[in-house]
Amino acid sequence: MTKKVRVRFAPSPTGPLHIGGVRTALYNYLFAKKHKGTFILRIEDTDQNRYVEGAEQYIIDALNWCNIPFDEGPTSEHSHQHTDSSFGPYRQSERKHLYKKYADILLEKGKAYYAFDSNESLDAHRKNHEEQGKTFIYNWHNRLKLDNSLSMMPEEVANRIASGEDYVIRFLTPPDEKLHLVDIIRGNMTIDTNVLDDKVLFKSDGMPTYHLASIVDDHLMEISHVIRGEEWLPSLALHQQLYDAFGWETPEFAHLPLIMKPVGKGKLSKRDGEKLGFPVFPLSWNESVGYKEEGYYPEAVVNFLALLGWNPGTEQELFSLEELIAEFSLERVQKSGARFDPDKTKWYNQHYLQEKKNALIIPDFQKVLSKNGVTTQNEAHLEDIIALIKERATFVSDFWELSDYFFVAPKTYEEKALKKQWKENTSNIMNELLSVLETIDNFSSKNTEEKVKQWISEKTYSFGNVMPPLRLVIVGDMKGPHIFDIISALGKKETLERIEKAIQVLG
Ligand code: GLU
C-alpha cells in the first residue's frame, strides 16, 4: 500500500450500535492497524430529527469495550481519547459551516442545481406515475418539467431564494454515461447514469445531506478506504460522480456483506434477538441487554464478528486481536450475506472463559455469588473452586449452578438419586467413613483419596456403596467434579458436618 491508510467508521447517532455496526468498525480497525494506518470515528449527525441523546457516548463506549478504540475522533468528557487534530472536528454538526462552500462549487460548475418542489408536489408526481404503472425519478427524464433552476430564469431563482423560499440543491446527473465503479470486495461494476436520480445534496436549513457531507469529509480527512455496509452500495454511483465533479481523487471502496438472520431470509434484526434470546447490541441499551451484560468477553465478540463475513482461508477459527490484525484482508471478505449463529457466539465465549486466568475471573465470580447472597473475601478459595468448575461453564453466570454446594450445604437430596444410593447399610458405611476422615490431617484431594480408597479396599466394600452416597450428601445431587477435589475445597470440618447431618436426617 503506497498511500497512507486512513479509514473511518461513520455512524449516525440515532440509537445504539447494532452488532453489524460493530463489525463495520472492527473491519475498519483491523484494516487500519494492519497497514499501520489511522482509525477515525466520525459522527454523522446532520439529521437532527433522528439524533438520539446518549447514542454517541454509547458508540464510543462500545468501541472501547471491544478494545478497538479510535485514533482520531470527537472529544468526549467520558473518554481519555483526544483528539481534535487538524482533520477535526469529527462531529458533522460541528462542521456545518464547511459544506455550503462545496455545494456552491458544484452549482458554479453546473454540476448541481436549485430545486423548489414542495413535498406535496413531489408526492403528487409520484402518485401520478404510480397510477400509470411507472416510477417517478427526479432526473433527466422530467427535471425540465419540475420546479428548479434548470426550468426557470435566473432572476426567478434569485428572487425565490432571496424571499426565503425553501429549496434544496440537487446533483445534476449527466445522462447517457456509463459509470465504472470499483469495489475491493465486489469487483468492477458498470452503471448507466440514466437510471440514477438527482439526489439532494444540501437543504435551505443550511444542512448538507449524508451524501455531500460524507464525500466532503472523506476528502478533507484524507480517507484512503471507505469500508462500510452493503446498504450503502447503491450510493456508490453518486459518490463516485461527486468525486469526479469536484475533481478529487476517489478513495477505494469496500462494501461489507449483510449479517443475516440465524434462520430464514433477510437481515438480522433486533426482533430476531428478542425472539431467539440473544443480544444484538454490544452493550445494554434501555431494556435490551448487551453482549457485555450478558456475560460475553469482548475477545469472544470480536472473534465471532471477525469471522462473520471474512475468512482467513484456513480452518482456523480462534483469533486474538493481534492475529486478526496480522491476517485480515479485504480481499477475503465475502460478497454474500453472512449468517449469524448464536450458538457459535456461545462457543467462542466458552473458549475465552477457559483461556482466562482463574485469578482474573474472581471479581466476576464474586458478583455472581453476592447476587445469590454469598459474600466471601477468600480469593484463594474462590480460585480453587473456579479451577474445579470452569470447564463446564460458558459464562461466569453459570458458576452459581455449578458451585452453589461449595457455599451452601444441601438442604435436600435429589429424590431419584437418594432412592438409588441410600441403602440399608449406607448410614453405617457413612459413619465408618466419618471416623476415617476424622483421622486425616492433611485434607488435600490426593491424600483423602488415598486414605479413603485404602479403607474401602481393606473393608472390601465396593466403590459403588461409598462414593455415590458420599457425593449425594456433600453435593445434594450427583453432579460436580471429582468428589475428593470437592471435599478438599470444602475442608475437613464442613465435610464431616455434612456427612453427620445426612446420617441424622436419613438414618
Ligand atoms: N452515516 C452512515 C451510517 O450511518 C455512514 C455510511 C458510510 O460509511 O458512508 O451508516
Side-chain angles (χ1 to χ4, degrees):
M1 204 132 321
T2 46
K3 63 183 168 184
K4 172 117 182 57
V5 167
R6 290 177 54 82
V7 294
R8 84 310 191 265
F9 175 51
S12 300
T14 54
L17 208 52
H18 179 283
I19 47 165
V22 182
R23 188 198 56 178
T24 301
L26 174 64
Y27 285 16
N28 273 284
Y29 174 89
L30 296 176
F31 186 76
K33 296 301 143 183
K34 167 144 191 164
H35 298 288
K36 312 256 174 301
T38 306
F39 173 50
I40 296 156
L41 175 66
R42 185 172 73 221
I43 301 294
E44 300 208 325
D45 57 351
T46 50
D47 188 350
Q48 290 295 324
N49 296 328
R50 294 179 62 222
Y51 182 83
V52 172
E53 193 66 41
E56 179 186 315
Q57 190 57 45
Y58 178 97
I59 292 164
I60 294 172
D61 292 344
L63 298 183
N64 288 340
W65 179 69
C66 290
N67 291 314
I68 53 171
F70 55 84
D71 303 307
E72 288 175 26
T75 19
S76 131
E77 34 173 334
H78 305 293
S79 86
H80 325 285
Q81 279 142 338
H82 25 63
T83 73
D84 277 297
S85 71
S86 54
F87 292 107
Y90 295 92
R91 279 183 205 100
Q92 285 185 330
S93 58
E94 292 169 16
R95 305 170 64 80
K96 195 178 152 190
H97 57 283
L98 283 169
Y99 305 114
K100 176 76 170 61
K101 177 173 113 194
Y102 291 96
D104 287 344
I105 292 176
L106 293 178
L107 287 168
E108 268 160 41
K109 288 186 164 196
K111 308 271 186 188
Y113 60 95
Y114 289 105
F116 301 94
D117 315 85
S118 65
N119 288 337
E120 294 73 36
S121 97
L122 290 175
D123 281 345
H125 283 298
R126 263 181 223 117
K127 213 162 147 230
N128 183 277
H129 273 68
E130 260 166 40
E131 279 163 11
Q132 300 172 45
K134 296 187 200 151
T135 312
F136 173 73
I137 305 180
Y138 204 124
N139 67 0
W140 60 278
H141 222 105
N142 47 25
R143 59 168 85 100
L144 288 178
K145 289 181 252 160
L146 294 160
D147 210 5
N148 56 47
S149 58
L150 303 172
S151 65
M152 61 182 74
M153 300 302 284
E155 297 75 42
E156 188 182 349
V157 175
N159 284 341
R160 284 195 184 205
I161 293 172
S163 71
E165 193 173 321
D166 277 349
Y167 66 84
V168 296
I169 297 174
R170 285 182 182 270
F171 184 67
L172 180 58
T173 315
D176 299 326
E177 280 185 16
K178 296 266 176 286
L179 264 182
H180 297 288
L181 305 174
V182 186
D183 181 281
I184 298 173
I185 298 165
R186 280 144 222 280
N188 295 331
M189 291 160 279
T190 307
I191 286 208
D192 182 344
T193 55
N194 286 340
V195 303
L196 301 172
D197 60 340
D198 292 349
K199 281 269 186 296
V200 174
L201 303 176
F202 197 85
K203 297 188 200 146
S204 49
D205 65 1
M207 275 300 200
T209 60
Y210 154 71
H211 299 294
L212 180 67
S214 79
I215 265 50
V216 167
D217 286 348
D218 285 346
H219 172 70
L220 296 179
M221 293 181 180
E222 295 178 14
I223 298 302
S224 62
H225 297 76
V226 170
I227 304 167
R228 61 185 173 191
E230 183 180 307
E231 63 274 28
W232 300 104
L233 190 59
S235 302
L236 180 57
L238 171 64
H239 295 179
Q240 180 64 59
Q241 291 183 93
L242 282 169
Y243 281 104
D244 295 345
F246 283 117
W248 293 339
E249 194 190 338
T250 315
E252 291 190 52
F253 290 95
H255 289 87
L256 308 177
L258 295 175
I259 299 184
M260 311 301 284
K261 293 178 187 307
V263 278
K265 283 193 195 141
K267 108 180 173 173
L268 179 72
S269 72
K270 189 174 156 216
R271 287 254 318 123
D272 297 314
E274 286 160 357
K275 245 184 7 213
L276 299 169
F278 61 84
V280 293
F281 299 130
L283 314 176
S284 289
W285 177 264
N286 299 333
E287 70 292 349
S288 302
V289 181
Y291 275 90
K292 176 182 178 206
E293 292 78 6
E294 191 71 24
Y296 282 84
Y297 288 120
E299 300 92 308
V301 173
V302 161
N303 198 153
F304 84 69
L305 282 179
L307 277 110
L308 215 51
W310 168 81
N311 76 81
T314 64
E315 293 296 302
Q316 188 179 344
E317 289 188 293
L318 295 164
F319 288 88
S320 66
L321 195 55
E322 290 66 37
E323 288 172 312
L324 286 172
I325 292 169
E327 296 296 319
F328 186 76
S329 78
L330 288 170
E331 284 73 17
R332 297 211 71 94
V333 174
Q334 70 198 44
K335 287 201 223 18
S336 55
R339 194 174 285 288
F340 183 77
D341 178 353
D343 292 334
K344 197 77 190 195
T345 66
K346 290 187 180 151
W347 178 84
Y348 275 110
N349 207 64
Q350 188 192 16
H351 168 80
Y352 284 101
L353 177 62
Q354 305 312 317
E355 292 258 287
K356 188 128 313 214
K357 282 215 173 69
N358 294 341
L360 297 179
I361 302 176
I362 294 171
D364 286 340
F365 189 20
Q366 279 171 323
K367 276 187 213 144
V368 171
L369 290 175
S370 82
K371 252 197 217 146
N372 287 285
V374 174
T375 42
T376 165
Q377 305 303 327
N378 187 342
E379 297 198 350
H381 183 53
L382 293 182
E383 201 175 330
D384 289 345
I385 294 173
I386 293 171
L388 293 178
I389 58 163
K390 174 165 108 162
E391 65 178 40
R392 292 173 179 79
T394 302
F395 300 102
V396 178
S397 57
D398 299 336
F399 281 16
W400 177 247
E401 234 207 279
L402 294 168
S403 72
D404 53 352
Y405 54 88
F406 283 105
F407 306 97
V408 189
K411 292 190 184 59
T412 54
Y413 305 100
E414 202 276 315
E415 226 172 290
K416 255 199 199 148
L418 187 63
K419 241 190 198 152
K420 190 159 169 223
Q421 308 299 350
W422 203 265
K423 307 200 178 95
E424 255 197 59
N425 63 342
T426 307
S427 289
N428 295 337
I429 298 177
M430 289 296 119
N431 252 321
E432 274 183 55
L433 176 61
L434 261 183
S435 1
V436 176
L437 292 173
E438 257 160 15
T439 63
I440 303 176
D441 289 327
N442 170 2
F443 222 67
S444 72
S445 173
K446 194 162 162 276
N447 193 45
T448 49
E449 178 165 4
E450 223 175 84
K451 297 278 158 37
V452 170
K453 285 188 171 165
Q454 206 179 333
W455 161 72
I456 291 176
S457 71
E458 276 166 20
K459 287 288 194 167
T460 62
Y461 289 144
S462 82
F463 269 70
N465 285 335
V466 181
M467 305 317 292
L470 175 61
R471 179 179 294 278
L472 186 63
V473 305
I474 296 292
V475 175
D477 203 339
M478 299 312 290
K479 66 180 183 183
H482 192 49
I483 185 64
F484 293 101
D485 289 344
I486 298 178
I487 63 170
S488 167
L490 282 176
K492 183 167 169 178
K493 184 166 168 283
E494 179 68 19
T495 302
L496 297 183
E497 276 172 20
R498 288 190 189 187
I499 300 173
E500 277 161 10
K501 187 184 154 216
I503 296 170
Q504 250 178 41
V505 177
L506 301 172

